[in-house]
Amino acid sequence: MSKNISALSYRKGLEKNLFEKMVESAEKTGAAVSDDLKTMAEEYLIGDAITLGAVSFYDFLKKENEGKKVFYCNGTACMTAGTQDPLKKYLNKHFKEEEIGEICCLGRCHENGSFQFKGVNFSGKNEKEIDQIFGGGDLPSSDEYNTGSNFKTPVLLAEFPGLDEYYGVLKKLLDRDPVSLLDELKVSKLRGRGGAGFPAGIKWESCRNVTAEPKYIVCNADEGDPGAYIDRHLMEKHPHSVLFGMIMAGYLVGSNVGVLYIRAEYPDSIAIIEQSIKELQEKGYVGDNILGSDFSFRFKIIKGAGAYICGEETALLASIEGRRPEVGVRPPFPTEQGLFGKPTVVNNVETFSCVYHVFTIGGEAYAKIGTEASTGPKLVSLDGNFNKPGLYEVEMGTPFTEIIHDMGGGFKVPIKAVQVGGPLGGIVPVDKIKNLTLDFESFKENGFLLGHGSVVCIPESFPILQYIEHLFEFTAAESCGKCFPCRLGSVRGQEMAEKARKEDYKIDPELIMDLLDTMELTSLCALGGGVPLPIKNALHYFEKELRPHLKNQTITT
């Protein structure tokens, strides 16, 4: 069935795709209009249930979103910072309960207290400022945070020299054989920065080797991990590094189309990327026969609609096609059968941003940065519980203590652990920070996960059982529902944790470990399969704190 929908959607093309029509339908009221969905179904030759089933999944398209006027962040960083309960009280002064919605996450994790009003993000505001915003006052929505690099000359955070100077290297690269450039990318050992760490060169080569056409380059800009604002920073402060990387990906694999799927929670990112693409068009750096070459390339921006699972590549591609964003079974991989069943490269924002440096200094030089297996720079975002919260660039292999204490300035309040890499990343007790270096291997060898690179603090005062419940609850809310282990296991886990927290109920360690093992081993994707890691970390390292909520058995993790 999904292949049929994909083919029918492809007939209408990417430029005005089915998903965008669904988003447009919801712009007036906050929910897609029933009559519009029927019209779409007729136009695309699909059933009404297909369009309704798709929109019912998205936070900003489903019926429950209708009439919402303001949204406050329910992400992990804002939760542990303790800013959202007071914020909710302020919102209740100005809006009815049914007009207030939740949103996750706005990428304002460095100062918290985040909310969105009339499509604009705000954070770190006091009660007087909030009253001014809702009273029609003109209050700046922009945010400021610390940035820094431990490179002598910043790489990803380098100052933009201007369009012509930055793209000056493009002409030389387009004169070179794409196969030789692909070899150079492989020599660099650049690995994807979205979390999995798969070698970019191997992925791109796989797509190039498929003969089917057309081919697509898709930028996964659906950075949904609470605590992360790495991709947001790059799109808003260094947009051309992202666009340049996508152009080169197109040239190397033989694609003429680049799609940026940007989450609706990042309205500034969408606007800045749109403006940056216009600049490229005016200068002739994108379009037909770029700089007199035989290579043509164009961009397409697609605005998301509130679905964490769209950070998973197959769900993201299903979303663009207008299907319900459910995770696909692999193989075939997207490089073989991706968007509309065509060969597709999917990488995240930070990965594309690294490409410029690879081709300006050369693959061998890039491979010498970092460690043998984890090369290049890595961006890390620190939440509001740090003394110097912000975004930092470090060389792969940097001691984690340097990031936490030297760059981040240590903690504002007593902290017992940090979660690195989003809700699916490991929970690192503070006494284990000294054992880690920032690279894929170090985190894996120590039983954690680097993921995308966000760091969220868990204060001493925040109960670890409540944090476990939050992780289960997040997974249950964001699960695509396709596989039972994730869909049901997350709910049963949340119920178990809540019952132990609120009632005289003791969790059976054997039962919860059996649940976590089942989710980890049998879930279809990294959502259900990944969330057991931090929960197992919590059970292992905080057994003493959890003991009053457990049956008198030893936890084996």
Side-chain angles (χ1 to χ4, degrees):
M1 175 64 79
S2 62
K3 287 185 178 180
N4 293 338
I5 299 169
S6 178
L8 290 168
S9 182
Y10 177 65
R11 290 170 62 248
K12 293 289 186 178
L14 178 67
E15 200 53 42
K16 198 65 176 178
N17 57 78
L18 177 56
F19 177 66
E20 285 186 299
K21 292 186 177 183
M22 294 174 177
V23 172
E24 286 180 4
S25 176
E27 287 180 350
K28 289 184 179 180
T29 66
V33 179
S34 178
D35 288 345
D36 291 346
L37 296 177
K38 291 181 180 179
T39 301
M40 293 176 209
E42 292 175 1
E43 181 182 352
Y44 282 81
L45 305 179
I46 56 180
D48 293 356
I50 302 300
T51 52
L52 179 59
V55 300
S56 66
F57 185 84
Y58 297 96
D59 290 344
F60 306 137
L61 302 184
K62 59 187 179 183
K63 189 68 175 176
E64 294 86 339
N65 191 58
E66 191 170 24
K68 303 295 184 188
K69 294 182 178 179
V70 65
F71 301 86
Y72 70 95
C73 179
N74 63 6
T76 312
C78 283
M79 177 188 73
T80 56
T83 58
Q84 301 313 84
D85 286 343
L87 174 62
K88 181 75 183 303
K89 291 179 181 178
Y90 298 156
L91 299 184
N92 281 324
K93 287 174 51 181
H94 298 272
F95 300 95
K96 300 175 182 176
E97 187 65 31
E98 60 269 23
E99 294 175 332
I100 302 172
E102 296 184 13
I103 194 169
C104 183
C105 145
L106 295 176
R108 299 294 189 100
C109 318
H110 57 91
E111 61 183 0
N112 312 117
S114 310
F115 64 95
Q116 187 179 91
F117 178 58
K118 292 184 177 180
V120 179
N121 293 345
F122 297 92
S123 55
K125 305 300 182 186
N126 58 40
E127 185 174 7
K128 182 178 179 181
E129 290 172 321
I130 291 172
D131 289 341
Q132 186 178 341
I133 292 168
F134 297 139
D138 186 17
L139 201 67
S141 64
S142 59
D143 58 329
E144 300 293 334
Y145 47 87
N146 299 293
T147 58
S149 174
N150 69 359
F151 287 84
K152 288 183 178 179
T153 303
V155 180
L156 296 176
L157 300 186
E159 185 176 344
F160 186 63
L163 209 62
D164 291 333
E165 184 175 342
Y166 191 83
Y167 283 88
V169 70
L170 185 59
K171 172 66 174 173
K172 296 178 182 178
L173 293 173
L174 296 182
D175 286 338
R176 288 180 58 181
D177 177 23
V179 175
S180 70
L181 291 172
L182 191 55
D183 289 340
E184 193 158 341
L185 182 66
K186 289 192 290 183
V187 168
S188 76
K189 299 181 183 179
L190 172 63
R191 296 171 65 175
R193 300 304 200 237
F198 190 81
I202 294 176
K203 178 184 285 191
W204 293 17
E205 183 178 51
S206 173
C207 185
R208 179 177 178 82
N209 290 340
V210 180
T211 57
E213 293 184 349
K215 298 178 181 180
Y216 297 98
I217 305 300
V218 176
C219 179
N220 181 348
D222 198 62
E223 178 185 53
D225 285 349
Y229 48 100
I230 295 167
D231 291 353
R232 175 188 161 228
H233 177 88
L234 288 170
M235 287 188 285
E236 295 177 11
K237 305 298 183 182
H238 305 273
H240 286 290
S241 67
V242 187
L243 300 177
F244 182 93
M246 293 181 69
I247 292 170
M248 290 310 302
Y251 183 61
L252 268 59
V253 309
S255 169
N256 302 121
V257 182
V259 181
L260 294 109
Y261 187 101
I262 308 176
R263 58 200 311 257
E265 294 88 342
Y266 287 177
D268 293 338
S269 298
I270 295 172
I272 290 170
I273 289 291
E274 283 179 342
Q275 179 58 37
S276 300
I277 292 172
K278 288 180 181 178
E279 293 172 1
L280 292 180
Q281 291 170 337
E282 292 170 359
K283 288 282 190 175
Y285 293 122
V286 293
D288 295 332
N289 304 114
I290 298 172
L291 300 177
S293 70
D294 294 331
F295 175 60
S296 302
F297 197 80
R298 63 184 177 88
F299 286 103
K300 170 69 177 177
I301 296 175
I302 295 178
K303 175 184 173 182
Y308 176 80
I309 199 63
C310 288
E312 196 282 334
E313 60 181 6
T314 59
L316 184 152
L317 298 176
S319 176
I320 296 173
E321 294 174 1
R323 294 188 280 129
R324 186 177 175 89
E326 293 180 337
V327 174
V329 178
R330 288 161 291 189
F333 294 94
T335 54
E336 302 163 310
Q337 295 179 29
L339 184 60
F340 302 122
K342 307 299 182 181
T344 305
V345 165
V346 183
N347 278 118
N348 83 322
V349 169
E350 188 179 1
T351 308
F352 284 120
S353 294
C354 290
V355 172
Y356 181 85
H357 201 57
V358 171
F359 289 125
T360 51
I361 70 169
E364 288 188 9
Y366 189 93
K368 293 177 181 177
I369 303 171
T371 69
E372 177 66 24
S374 298
T375 64
K378 181 73 187 81
L379 296 180
V380 182
S381 57
L382 306 183
D383 79 353
N385 274 315
F386 283 88
N387 284 312
K388 294 193 293 183
L391 187 104
Y392 297 95
E393 175 186 53
V394 299
E395 182 174 359
M396 282 282 200
T398 296
F400 200 32
T401 51
E402 179 182 328
I403 299 166
I404 299 295
H405 297 294
D406 297 342
M407 303 181 89
F411 308 115
K412 289 179 181 176
V413 297
I415 298 296
K416 59 186 169 190
V418 294
Q419 185 171 24
V420 184
L424 313 180
I427 292 178
V428 183
V430 290
D431 63 346
K432 299 295 180 183
I433 290 174
K434 63 182 183 295
N435 300 339
L436 297 169
T437 55
L438 196 91
D439 53 80
F440 295 109
E441 287 67 41
S442 176
F443 272 73
K444 183 178 180 180
E445 289 166 5
N446 284 275
F448 307 115
L449 182 74
L450 175 59
H452 185 34
S454 60
V455 182
V456 172
C457 297
I458 306 176
E460 287 279 6
S461 59
F462 197 94
I464 200 68
L465 181 60
Q466 185 178 345
Y467 201 87
I468 290 173
E469 181 186 349
H470 165 72
L471 294 176
F472 272 128
E473 185 178 28
F474 177 87
T475 305
E478 300 297 344
S479 174
C480 76
K482 187 170 183 177
C483 72
F484 287 174
C486 177
R487 186 176 79 190
L488 301 181
S490 56
V491 174
R492 296 290 88 85
Q494 185 273 329
E495 291 172 344
M496 198 183 303
E498 182 182 34
K499 192 173 182 180
R501 192 167 62 87
K502 295 183 178 180
E503 302 175 21
D504 185 22
Y505 170 77
K506 306 292 185 182
I507 296 175
D508 183 341
E510 185 177 354
L511 178 63
I512 193 169
M513 287 305 300
D514 183 55
L515 173 67
L516 293 171
D517 286 343
T518 301
M519 292 179 67
E520 184 176 354
L521 295 172
T522 63
S523 292
L524 190 56
C525 82
L527 179 55
V531 76
L533 172 65
I535 295 173
K536 285 182 177 182
N537 289 155
L539 292 170
H540 176 70
Y541 290 111
F542 296 97
E543 182 177 357
K544 184 177 180 181
E545 180 183 337
L546 292 168
R547 176 56 57 190
H549 304 288
L550 302 173
K551 286 187 177 179
N552 190 26
Q553 297 180 30
T554 301
I555 300 174
T556 303
T557 57

